[in-house]
């Protein structure tokens, strides 16, 4: 939850990657439950629901969302119209419209990424086509207009984690971290290849990834078995942290390897990490199931997380409020351990969705509106129907169960 307070940046992107693997194993990441949850483990009483805030009049999806206020909400869209442009959308409290782009950005054939670096600070990132691969364009929204970020990150950013406008960390490639202290950027080399990072507090930053050397990486065949890796910044330097190994039993399947690809810092300071132990499927013979890695830092070491109940098992947090965690796939895990399904509605027939269509809600982002207890989600409703399937871009608002 280190974007605007309570939000895990890019949580749904990483969650979707892991979920695609888990779905193949029978653990669905869809918004609808598959099968029956464990008796008594999933709370279906007084469930919250996602209510349609806005259904857009084009086919496609929303890929990103930033909420600065009830009258200052931004989204990035992807249209399924054969056009490569990715429009920037803005809600001013009255209506949604295509928002003004920074003049230096030109067209938007390349992905736009929104970064909330504080509750009232928004950065927009864009990789300019035809330019050097290590150069991105950055703009700052001040509530009225876009302007250039005075001192943008010096390179192609893979991940960004911010505790505030003067405490920003970015991951460049997989081996370098840069820190902004409000005055300058400072680079530091990481001990291992990293795929994600999170800010837990002042001088308390975590990065996770994998390593191909050291204990657990040797195999008799001469091949390497990559292992999960984690690193910690203590205000002085990045230090490697002992991380539990993962390994399939013999015979080891082909091209096996394990890594962490998601680290989350909760508002309480608790740190969670997620990853996979997998291999190259389809090589023949009996195959073991991929192993989902769930770790928790207990203050001195990484330990296995306690499995969540029912439909919340093997799902990654994407946001946090005062009562619990929003999980990928429209689930909520309460602070006292109850698993709650967040319900949703069907699209109105006026959208072209027929009565017999199969519909599922896929959210790319979940955000709290700063200064409120209101939550918004952005993504699309996938409509599967004979002859005319489509995705309907939507913004939804959480309605609490009563």
């Amino acid at each position: 939850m280190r974007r605007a307070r309570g939000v895990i940046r890019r949580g749904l992107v990483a969650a979707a990657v892991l979920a695609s693997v888990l779905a193949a194993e029978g653990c669905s990441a869809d918004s609808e439950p598959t099968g029956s949850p464990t008796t008594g483990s999933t709370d279906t009483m007084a469930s919250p629901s996602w209510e349609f805030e806005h259904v857009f009049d084009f086919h496609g999806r929303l890929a990103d969302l930033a909420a600065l206020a009830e009258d200052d909400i931004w989204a990035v869209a992807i249209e399924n119209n054969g056009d490569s442009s990715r429009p920037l959308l803005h809600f001013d409290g009255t209506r949604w419209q295509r928002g003004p782009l920074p003049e230096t950005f030109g067209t938007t054939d390349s992905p736009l990424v929104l970064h909330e670096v504080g509750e009232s600070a928004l950065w927009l990132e864009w990789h300019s086509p035809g330019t050097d691969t290590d150069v991105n364009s950055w703009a700052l929204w001040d509530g009225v207009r876009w302007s250039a970020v005075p001192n943008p990150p010096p390179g192609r950013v893979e991940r960004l984690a911010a505790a505030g406008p003067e405490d920003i960390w970015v991951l460049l490639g997989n081996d370098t971290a840069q820190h902004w202290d409000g005055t300058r950027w400072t680079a530091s080399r990481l001990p291992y290849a990293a795929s994600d990072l999170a800010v837990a507090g002042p001088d308390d930053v975590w990065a996770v990834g994998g390593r191909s050397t050291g204990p657990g990486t040797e195999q008799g065949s001469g091949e390497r078995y990559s292992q999960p890796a984690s690193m910690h910044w203590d205000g002085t330097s990045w230090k490697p942290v002992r991380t539990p190994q993962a390994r399939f039993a013999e015979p080891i399947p082909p091209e096996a390897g394990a890594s962490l690809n998601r680290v989350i810092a909760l508002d309480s300071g608790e740190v969670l990490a997620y990853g996979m132990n997998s291999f190259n499927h389809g090589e023949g013979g009996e195959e073991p199931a991929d192993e989902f890695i769930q770790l928790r830092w207990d203050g001195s070491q990484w330990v296995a997380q306690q499995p969540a109940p029912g439909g919340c098992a093997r799902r990654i947090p994407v946001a946090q409020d005062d009562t619990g965690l929003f999980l990928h796939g429209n689930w909520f895990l309460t602070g006292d351990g109850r698993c709650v399904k967040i319900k949703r509605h069907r699209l109105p027939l006026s959208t072209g969705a027929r009565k017999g269509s199969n519909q599922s809600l896929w959210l790319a982002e979940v955000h709290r509106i700063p200064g409120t207890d209101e939550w918004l989600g952005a993504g699309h409703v996938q409509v599967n129907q004979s002859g005319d399937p489509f995705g309907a871009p939507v913004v939804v608002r959480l309605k609490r169960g009563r």
Side-chain angles (χ1 to χ4, degrees), residues 41-60:
S41 61
T42 301
D43 190 339
T44 58
M45 300 299 292
S47 293
S49 62
W50 288 118
E51 306 289 324
F52 291 126
E53 184 81 356
H54 190 79
V55 179
F56 292 86
D57 60 359
F58 60 88
H59 289 177

Side-chain angles (χ1 to χ4, degrees), residues 143-154:
V144 178
R145 63 182 61 84
W146 291 103
S147 60
V149 173
N151 294 283

Side-chain angles (χ1 to χ4, degrees), residues 215-229:
T217 62
E218 305 85 1
Q219 290 197 66
S221 61
E223 296 182 356
R224 289 288 176 177
Y225 196 126
S226 61
Q227 290 295 326

